[in-house]
Each structure stands twice: as C-alpha cells, then as structure tokens.
Amino acid sequence: MKAYTNPGSNRFAILSILLLFLVCGCSLTRRLQPGQALVRKITIQGVSNEDFKEAAVNYVDKEQQPNNWLNLQFYYFFSRNGKKNIGDPPAILDSNLVEFSRIQIERFIQNKGYLKAKVSDSIKIKDKKAELIFTAVEGPLFKIRKIQDSIADKNVRNLYRVNRPRFSHVQPGGRFDTDSLAYDRDEFYLIMKRNGYYDFYRQYINYTYDSTFRSSVVDIKMTIDNPAGKSAHPVYKINNTLIVVSNSEGRTPGKADTLKVDSQFKFVDFSHKFKPRTAIDYIFQRKGQIYDIDRQTLTTSRLSELNVFRNVPNPTYTRLPDSTHRLDTRIDIVPLKQMSNRVEGEFLFNAGQYGFNLGNTFTDRDVFKNAAILQVKLNWSVLFDNGSSASNPNGISNQDLTVGANLIYPRIISPFTKLPILGKYGVPHTTFSTNYQLFYEQGLVQRTSFINSITYDFAETAQKTHTITPINIEFSKGVINPAAQAELALNKLYAYSYLIGRTIFTAGSQYTYQFNANKLNTYENFVYFRGSLDVGGNTLALLASILNSPRDSTGQRTIFGRTFAQYAKAETDFRVYHSFGGQKQLVFRLNPGIGIPYGNSRQLKFADTTFTDGLIFEKEFYAGGANDMRAWLPRTLGPGKFNRATFYGASSGNTKLPSKGDLLRSRLKYLDQFGEIKIISSLEYRYKLVDDFFGSVMKGAIFMDAGNIWRLHAQTNAPNVEFSANNILPATALDIGTGLRFDLAFFVFRLDAAFKFKDPQFNGSDQWVLVNHFNELFHTGPFKTAYQINNSGDTYNFMQLNFGIGMPF
C-alpha cells in the first residue's frame, strides 16, 4: 500500500474549486426568472435597544432570510444533478412573506413593552438583489406599576409567595415584557411539579393586564384557578412501582421473569437478562414520597446513562381510584442488544510516511445480569516510512499492538464499606482494567507492557467529576536489537538505551478532576479544566527500604529481583470557550505537563556514565499529532531546539553506504524526541459553513498551535533541549492552519491542514520556515534539498493533513 499526493495537482484542485464557486457566485442572479429578486440584506430601523434590534431579524420569515453564501453555492452546484437537499435554496423575494414578517416584528416589539409600536416595510431592488427595510415607530415604553395575585388555594398561594422573589422576572418599576410573564409561568409550573402537584397544568396560570393609563404604565394580575369542581389542588404521593423490561426488539413475548422485590417494586423481565437491582438502584422516586418531576427526570436520565437500555421513556402514572391521592408508577424499558462489535480505522499520510490504525471493540452489555459492561479492545497500528535505510530496508518503521479488557460496573464497589449510590449528577462507575501492549520499532527495540488497574469515577455536581485510580500496576520489558545496542554504546547514548531497553515495574495511583465537561458540546461562554496527577513507586520504595533490598548495576533499588520506578507526573488542560452567537466560537487551550523522576529513578549509573531523568518510556511526553501540534507528525517535535541532523552528525547522503549518524538517526526515529515537560497551547475559531452537506453540518475552523516539549535537565550531548527561562520562546514551535468538520450528530469527522510556521530545530531567523521558504511550500528547492541530505533522506514537509474523528480538543 502506498499513498502519494501530487502537490501541484492539489493546488490546481483547490484553485479549480475556488474558481467554480466564483463562477457560481457571479451567475446567482442570472438563474432567477423575470420579475424575481434574491433577498440579500435585511435592515431594521427605529429600534432603540440594540439587543432587540438584533433579535428582530429572527422574526423575518425563514424563506426571506438572506442565504449563507457557501450554502447557496452548494445548492446551485449540486442541484444541477438533481440533488436539491444539499445547501440552501435561494431566498426569493415574496411580498406576502414580507408582510407576514412585518407583523411578526411589530408583535415582538410590542411584547417587549412598546405597546403602541407600529412597523412599516419597504423594499429596495437593484440588479435583482433585494434589501428588506423594516422601520419601527416604538412609541412610549410601558412599565409595570403594580402586581397582584388571586390564588384560591391557600397552600398554592403560600408556595407562590414564598418562591416568587427567587424566580420572578416581573417586578414593579420594570419594563413590561410578555416573555418575562411566560418565564414566570413556566418557573412556577415547575415548582408545583416539584412539590407533589402531579396534575397541575400551565393553563391554570393566567395573566391579565390593564394598560389603559395615559402615563404608560401597566397593572398586572396573576390568577391561579382551582380544578373544576374542587376546592384545592391535590398533592400526590408515590405508591407502587412496576418495572417492565421487554426484549431488545421492544416486544414482550413468552413468559417473563417476575419478582416482587419489596412493598414498592415489582420487576418483570421479558429479556431474562437483568436482576431487579439493575434498575431499582437508579429509581429515585420512593414509596411515600411526594411526586417530584425532578426525581422523575433523574430516574429516566440515569437509567439511560447505564448504556444497557436503548429506550427509557418517562414513567407513566396511574391515580389510585380511592381518595388518597397516590400514584402507581410504571417504567417500560427496552434493552440494547447484549452483544455488539465495532470496527474502526484511520489512515495517515505525509509524503513518504504513511500508516494505518485498525481497532476492534467487542462489548457485552450485561455481564452477571447487573448492567456490568465487558469491553474487549484490540488495536493495531503500523507506520511505514518509504525513506528506507540500512536499518529499515522494508519500509516498516514501527508497529503497536494493544489488547485490553475492561469490566465496568455502574456503581462504586469497595471492600471496606457499603457506599450509597452516587447518582444524583451522573452514574458512578468502577472499572477493572487489564491491558497488554507490544511496541516494535524496526531494527531497534521490542517493548511489552502489562497494565492492571482499578478505577472509580463519579460526579460531585453536574460540573465537577472525579476519577480515582487507587491501584495501577505496570510492568514493562524492553529487548534492544544487538546491533542497535552496540551502536548506542559506541556513541555513549546510554540514556536512550536505558530508556527503551530496561525492564521495570511500578505500582502507583492516579487522580483526575474535570470541571464543565458537560458543556463541551454547547456554544455557551465557559471555562473547562482537566487536571491529572500520576504518582508511582512510593509504596514499593517503602517496602524496599524496610526489607533493605539490594541495588542493581545502575544503582537502583530492586524489589523481588526487579527494579522499580518512582515518579510524579502532573498534566492540566485549561480551555476558555467564547461564543459569538449561533455556532461561531473561539476556543483557547493551554495544556502544560511535567514528569519528575525521584528517589529510585533520580540518578542512574550506566557503564562509566551517570545520568538523570529516569522516567518510564511510557510516561514521557511527546509532541505532534492531530490533537497536539498539528503541523508535525507524532513524536517528531522537540525536545527544545533538538536538531537530529546536528545531534547525530553529518549524513553520508548515500543510503547504500550510510554513516554512523545515518544508522542512529534511522534507528531512533520517532523515539528520540521526548521530554519531561510539555507546554502546548492552541487558539481556534470555529464557525458553520453549510447546514446540509450530504446529511451532515459542515463547519470550518482556523487555528494556531504553539508549544513544545523540553527535558527536565541539560543534556551534555544535546544543547538547548532543557527547560529554562532563556530557552522557552526560542524553542517554542508555531503552526497555523484551517480545517473542516463534518458533524453527523452522533460523531464528527475532521480534516485539518496545518502548516509549520516556526520550527525550533533551526536557529535565529531561520526558524520562520514558512516566511523564509514559502516558495517551497509545494515544490522542492534548496532548503528542502539540504534538509534531505542532512537527515538521511528524510523530507521536510511544511503541510500536514490530519484525518480524525471528534474535535481536536
């Protein structure tokens, strides 16, 4: 398999598409029939409040709203072939719809307190392009003079008067606004539903207002009537609950598993797959409690979040025929199919480098009949490099195979105490995980890792979530190719040899805190934060100290004959989301991290060399990739100002007779650029392009990424790779780019094109590669030729294309 793209053809294709859209744009009005005009502009005049002026545009009929330019181009382009559901059809001027829009705008302004407002309309047409002008004469602003209530039921009256100050937007002296009246009605309706008034309806609440006063004031009276033929509104309590689980097709055939659990619950299961506790643990309406719509919603939400049920509608209620005002509840549930299998794949390419990633996830959604989920995952990644060398003759650069199993329980499982179900803000989980990973770098190393852990996650509030891994045991073993080992030793690169070739294990704990993760798919203004801490080896160090265990040849303590690692690693992800209305959004991201080896990993001795920074290979930071510095491939940036051509020495320029530098450069490719400190930042502007693009919403993005990784301490054989005050800005990489996101509702398919702007591997002004060598963006010139010679045939690519699923952050 070989991927190849011709830069010249890419540029020609882009120019062709732009030219096509320009031609379409020039011919838009030519497609109109005689007497037709295209609505291209809406103007609102005479509205003093800027917010109301902006909102008034939304009351213009949708068919008279000016088209998004790109939406219209797509419609005309694809409608030629009969596909009229791509993009938006043109907004053709319609005088009847203009009049309808005028009436809607007039009502809107009146509802905002200008009760005497009048709106007129006019139309300007030039070159078959129409501008709609709506001119308002507002008149006086009416304010509220006094508010009264008339509520026959004294209990309801007391409930209203106690709560009204907490929710009401209608106050004496304020602007009269019918939207505020509607808001107050909805808020009190919910208060009634939270306090047992099951059969209370919004229609019981009515507002009357008198605006006949010449002084531009309004008197408001709120009335709540009793039900017909009753002296008060009844308060209902929960009685018995029936839970019915159908089969996965939503049917109830044959004999069901039926169990009367207690005085409240009866469980009927036609699927024969669940125990009663599966559902009962997340039913928050208990016998004897007053009916509460919030508890009803909470029950439905949590049962859905178990991820074992396909359909969980709102419960249905039946009033008991006696006069006790009790409700019997019925909850009908349709389960998902118990077994499922999902295959995923990705493909990446960049000039001579390409590869694929294949994944398979098998899921059993009801292990042990208690909604526990078993997931078995297999992932295989292969990276090819056509720049073959003596150490890499077949072009395969590396392979990564991961096999893992997760057993996820929808509750906190602890051997020490029986904990309550922490489900008010989300379903908590206990995850037992085991994973095996095999990493193979052609001509260099084979590493195997075993990781076993127990993890708890739960929500403290709707915004705050916690993930705790009290037990995380990792075992890693590396086997270096003998020829590579000899070369590394000859060049005294013991740190690399030790990093990738050692056998080590550790036991540690991890903690992650997230804030506002529930808002990530919204367009609100908010701040998101994720912080994680990973600490390992302390318990083993204490045990080794107590047992006075021996040290190995590198000076490390051993336990049970094996060395162990001690470290602390922290990482944060801080983002600021700012909305510009609609689906326009600006996102700033700062993602710093640091890993510190200490104790048994602080200072290591190998041969005649002493070195520091003994983090586990799997714990090091790397830069580059579709979610990081997007103009660089993964593991190809940093640390600091690290330059592979300088570090390994001059290249022979001949792949058949490689120099020592060529061999080392080839063997350590994608593994020699790591660090203990990471700082990545991004600024991305997101916007909508097309409402309907083959069933998806096409969105765009413009972005800039800045950052790098650094070593914790200075390295004798690699200058300017350490983190220091005078090496932060010079070693910071910068890229710019643009992308498309195809939102299919259930997932987002993403395509980004990122360009290297500042590359820290070079010095001084030469770092500004896109400015200095823009003429080589799609062509080979002196700069790319020199780079290829000095780097054993590797090509320098200004642009990186990234395909992915989901947003970059």
Side-chain angles (χ1 to χ4, degrees):
M1 177 172 57
K2 180 176 180 180
Y4 174 76
T5 55
N6 185 330
S9 64
N10 283 346
R11 184 172 60 176
F12 178 76
I14 293 171
L15 292 174
S16 299
I17 293 172
L18 290 175
L19 181 61
L20 173 65
F21 281 159
L22 286 174
V23 172
C24 290
C26 294
S27 62
L28 289 180
T29 54
R30 296 178 186 174
R31 296 172 177 269
L32 300 176
Q33 299 298 320
Q36 288 184 332
L38 190 68
V39 178
R40 298 304 297 156
K41 186 178 181 181
I42 296 174
T43 301
I44 306 294
Q45 299 177 345
V47 179
S48 56
N49 187 301
E50 287 298 322
D51 291 337
F52 297 165
K53 184 176 182 179
E54 183 177 342
V57 176
N58 297 325
Y59 287 85
V60 177
D61 188 86
K62 183 179 180 180
E63 294 185 16
Q64 298 296 283
Q65 296 277 359
N67 295 102
N68 173 285
W69 178 81
L70 193 56
N71 274 326
L72 196 55
Q73 316 306 316
F74 275 107
Y75 176 83
Y76 278 135
F77 180 75
F78 288 104
S79 66
R80 293 177 177 176
N81 299 318
K83 295 183 179 293
K84 296 184 177 293
N85 58 341
I86 307 298
D88 286 342
I92 305 297
L93 178 65
D94 186 326
S95 58
N96 292 327
L97 294 179
V98 173
E99 171 61 15
F100 174 77
S101 301
R102 182 198 67 78
I103 295 172
Q104 293 297 103
I105 294 174
E106 186 173 273
R107 288 176 179 173
F108 165 71
I109 297 173
Q110 290 172 352
N111 290 339
K112 289 300 176 182
Y114 299 95
L115 299 182
K116 298 182 180 180
K118 298 293 180 183
V119 175
S120 59
D121 63 77
S122 59
I123 302 172
K124 290 183 178 179
I125 299 176
K126 183 179 181 181
D127 298 328
K128 293 188 177 182
K129 297 179 182 178
E131 177 186 3
L132 309 184
I133 303 172
F134 297 95
T135 304
V137 179
E138 292 180 327
L141 174 63
F142 283 72
K143 294 188 176 182
I144 300 170
R145 184 171 67 172
K146 64 180 180 179
I147 304 171
Q148 294 177 306
D149 63 64
S150 176
I151 305 174
D153 186 329
K154 65 177 183 179
N155 292 328
V156 175
R157 182 169 62 247
N158 291 337
L159 189 65
Y160 174 77
R161 291 179 179 178
V162 167
N163 285 281
R164 185 182 179 279
R166 303 172 189 172
F167 69 81
S168 181
H169 286 181
V170 181
Q171 302 295 338
R175 174 174 52 83
F176 175 75
D177 187 342
T178 58
D179 289 339
S180 295
L181 297 180
Y183 173 85
D184 277 19
R185 179 171 61 184
D186 289 341
E187 286 298 302
F188 188 63
Y189 164 79
L190 290 176
I191 289 172
M192 293 289 285
K193 289 289 190 177
R194 293 175 186 133
N195 285 273
Y197 294 94
Y198 164 73
D199 58 2
F200 185 85
Y201 302 101
R202 289 179 178 84
Q203 288 79 358
Y204 286 120
I205 305 175
N206 292 289
Y207 290 97
T208 57
Y209 53 90
D210 187 352
S211 59
T212 59
F213 305 96
R214 294 181 180 178
S215 53
S216 302
V217 294
V218 177
D219 288 346
I220 297 175
K221 184 176 182 179
M222 193 274 287
T223 303
I224 299 180
D225 299 320
N226 284 335
K230 296 183 179 180
S231 60
H233 288 270
V235 175
Y236 287 87
K237 292 185 177 181
I238 299 298
N239 189 46
N240 294 329
T241 301
L242 172 64
I243 305 166
V244 180
V245 182
S246 68
N247 62 22
S248 58
E249 283 76 35
R251 300 174 183 176
T252 55
K255 185 178 180 180
D257 294 335
T258 302
L259 180 65
K260 184 173 177 58
V261 180
D262 54 28
S263 60
Q264 177 184 356
F265 293 103
K266 183 179 179 181
F267 186 78
V268 180
D269 182 11
F270 287 90
S271 70
H272 309 288
K273 295 178 181 179
F274 299 97
K275 294 178 181 179
R277 185 183 175 189
T278 303
I280 292 173
D281 279 350
Y282 291 101
I283 294 176
F284 294 88
Q285 300 179 114
R286 297 296 173 173
K287 192 169 186 174
Q289 293 178 339
I290 63 171
Y291 166 80
D292 184 341
I293 194 172
D294 286 349
R295 290 181 179 271
Q296 169 189 303
T297 303
L298 187 61
T299 295
T300 303
S301 298
R302 296 300 167 263
L303 289 175
S304 298
E305 290 172 16
L306 289 175
N307 290 325
V308 296
F309 301 128
R310 175 165 58 90
N311 186 20
V312 186
N314 285 327
T316 57
Y317 300 94
T318 303
R319 302 179 186 88
L320 267 64
D322 56 29
S323 60
T324 57
H325 302 306
R326 290 180 296 168
L327 297 171
D328 279 345
T329 308
R330 177 179 172 125
I331 301 176
D332 290 284
I333 301 173
V334 180
L336 287 164
K337 290 185 177 180
Q338 183 173 347
M339 309 288 185
S340 67
N341 197 69
R342 185 178 73 250
V343 179
E344 296 178 324
E346 294 179 337
F347 181 78
L348 62 89
F349 62 92
N350 186 318
Q353 300 156 340
Y354 63 97
F356 62 83
N357 180 47
L358 294 176
N360 188 89
T361 301
F362 168 80
T363 303
D364 184 340
R365 290 189 175 85
D366 190 33
V367 182
F368 312 126
K369 292 190 173 184
N370 60 3
I373 296 176
L374 174 66
Q375 286 186 334
V376 179
K377 297 183 178 181
L378 185 147
N379 194 85
W380 181 40
S381 299
V382 179
L383 180 65
F384 295 87
D385 192 333
N386 283 347
S388 60
S389 64
S391 65
N392 182 21
N394 60 8
I396 296 178
S397 180
N398 60 58
Q399 300 184 64
D400 194 342
L401 175 67
T402 303
V403 181
N406 296 323
L407 183 59
I408 307 167
Y409 284 88
R411 58 185 58 84
I412 300 297
I413 298 176
S414 171
F416 304 108
T417 182
K418 186 177 180 180
L419 298 174
I421 301 297
L422 306 173
K424 183 177 180 180
Y425 298 104
V427 174
H429 298 97
T430 301
T431 302
F432 299 91
S433 178
T434 182
N435 292 276
Y436 166 79
Q437 182 179 16
L438 172 63
F439 177 82
Y440 176 72
E441 179 81 9
Q442 176 75 22
L444 180 62
V445 69
Q446 175 179 302
R447 285 191 64 83
T448 55
S449 300
F450 295 91
I451 304 174
N452 297 278
S453 64
I454 300 175
T455 300
Y456 302 104
D457 65 80
F458 61 93
E460 178 187 349
T461 67
Q463 290 77 36
K464 302 176 183 178
T465 59
H466 304 267
T467 302
I468 302 172
T469 303
I471 302 174
N472 186 74
I473 300 173
E474 302 184 30
F475 175 84
S476 301
K477 181 179 180 180
V479 178
I480 300 182
N481 179 289
Q485 180 78 291
E487 289 176 22
L488 292 171
L490 182 64
N491 289 272
K492 295 186 177 182
L493 296 176
Y494 302 121
Y496 290 109
S497 175
Y498 188 78
L499 175 73
I500 62 178
R502 62 176 167 169
T503 298
I504 197 167
F505 80 101
T506 189
S509 301
Q510 300 168 354
Y511 170 72
T512 300
Y513 169 78
Q514 286 191 86
F515 179 73
N516 274 341
N518 60 320
K519 296 184 178 180
L520 288 177
N521 293 323
T522 71
Y523 291 94
E524 302 178 25
N525 295 321
F526 66 96
V527 171
Y528 168 81
F529 175 83
R530 183 182 187 275
S532 62
L533 178 64
D534 183 358
V535 180
N538 293 336
T539 302
L540 297 177
L542 178 61
L543 183 60
S545 178
I546 294 173
L547 298 176
N548 193 26
S549 62
R551 297 179 183 271
D552 67 3
S553 59
T554 67
Q556 285 189 299
R557 284 276 194 185
T558 63
I559 189 80
F560 308 125
R562 297 290 187 183
T563 58
F564 61 90
Q566 270 185 281
Y567 64 91
K569 183 179 179 181
E571 186 175 1
T572 63
D573 185 351
F574 174 78
R575 310 176 201 170
V576 179
Y577 290 78
H578 181 77
S579 174
F580 290 94
Q583 297 186 33
K584 298 186 292 290
Q585 190 178 50
L586 183 68
V587 186
F588 168 74
R589 180 199 191 198
L590 180 63
N591 178 211
I594 182 171
I596 302 176
Y598 60 89
N600 207 43
S601 299
R602 186 170 185 178
Q603 193 172 67
L604 310 172
K605 296 179 181 179
F606 200 84
D608 58 347
T609 304
T610 299
F611 55 91
T612 58
D613 303 339
L615 276 181
I616 304 173
F617 173 77
E618 290 78 13
K619 299 293 181 181
E620 296 283 1
F621 288 112
Y622 296 88
N627 302 314
D628 199 284
M629 297 294 299
R630 282 170 274 189
W632 280 264
L633 283 169
R635 301 173 181 262
T636 62
L637 174 63
K641 298 182 66 179
F642 180 78
N643 184 296
R644 303 187 83 239
T646 302
F647 182 75
Y648 295 109
S651 172
S652 69
N654 188 338
T655 58
K656 295 183 179 180
L657 296 172
S659 67
K660 292 181 180 180
D662 291 332
L663 291 172
L664 285 171
R665 202 169 9 246
S666 176
R667 291 191 189 280
L668 291 174
K669 194 173 184 179
Y670 306 117
L671 292 181
D672 55 1
Q673 296 183 263
F674 61 88
E676 292 75 43
I677 295 176
K678 175 181 77 169
I679 302 177
I680 302 294
S681 63
S682 298
L683 187 66
E684 181 166 301
Y685 178 68
R686 301 169 180 172
Y687 51 93
K688 184 176 70 173
L689 285 171
V690 180
D691 289 311
D692 188 352
F693 183 76
F694 294 96
S696 70
V697 178
M698 188 169 75
K699 302 176 182 179
I702 302 172
F703 58 83
M704 175 177 66
D705 304 316
N708 205 338
I709 54 172
W710 289 263
R711 299 302 306 273
L712 195 60
H713 302 292
Q715 306 296 309
T716 55
N717 54 354
N720 299 317
V721 298
E722 75 279 3
F723 185 80
S724 61
N726 61 358
N727 196 36
I728 297 176
L729 290 179
T732 296
L734 182 67
D735 68 46
I736 58 174
T738 186
L740 297 174
R741 288 88 167 92
F742 302 92
D743 191 344
L744 297 171
F746 48 92
F747 74 91
V748 175
F749 175 75
R750 172 167 54 94
L751 169 62
D752 286 333
F755 299 86
K756 295 183 180 71
F757 196 82
K758 178 178 180 284
D759 193 337
Q761 67 175 302
F762 305 111
N763 294 314
S765 61
D766 291 336
Q767 291 185 339
W768 303 96
V769 290
L770 193 63
V771 175
N772 295 330
H773 308 290
F774 185 79
N775 60 320
E776 296 188 41
L777 183 61
F778 296 109
H779 298 284
T780 298
F783 171 74
K784 286 186 177 180
T785 301
Y787 185 90
Q788 189 170 13
I789 293 173
N790 293 327
N791 286 272
S792 307
D794 286 350
T795 57
Y796 190 87
N797 300 294
F798 287 93
M799 184 179 73
Q800 172 64 37
L801 288 176
N802 296 301
F803 297 90
I805 295 176
M807 301 298 283
F809 51 85

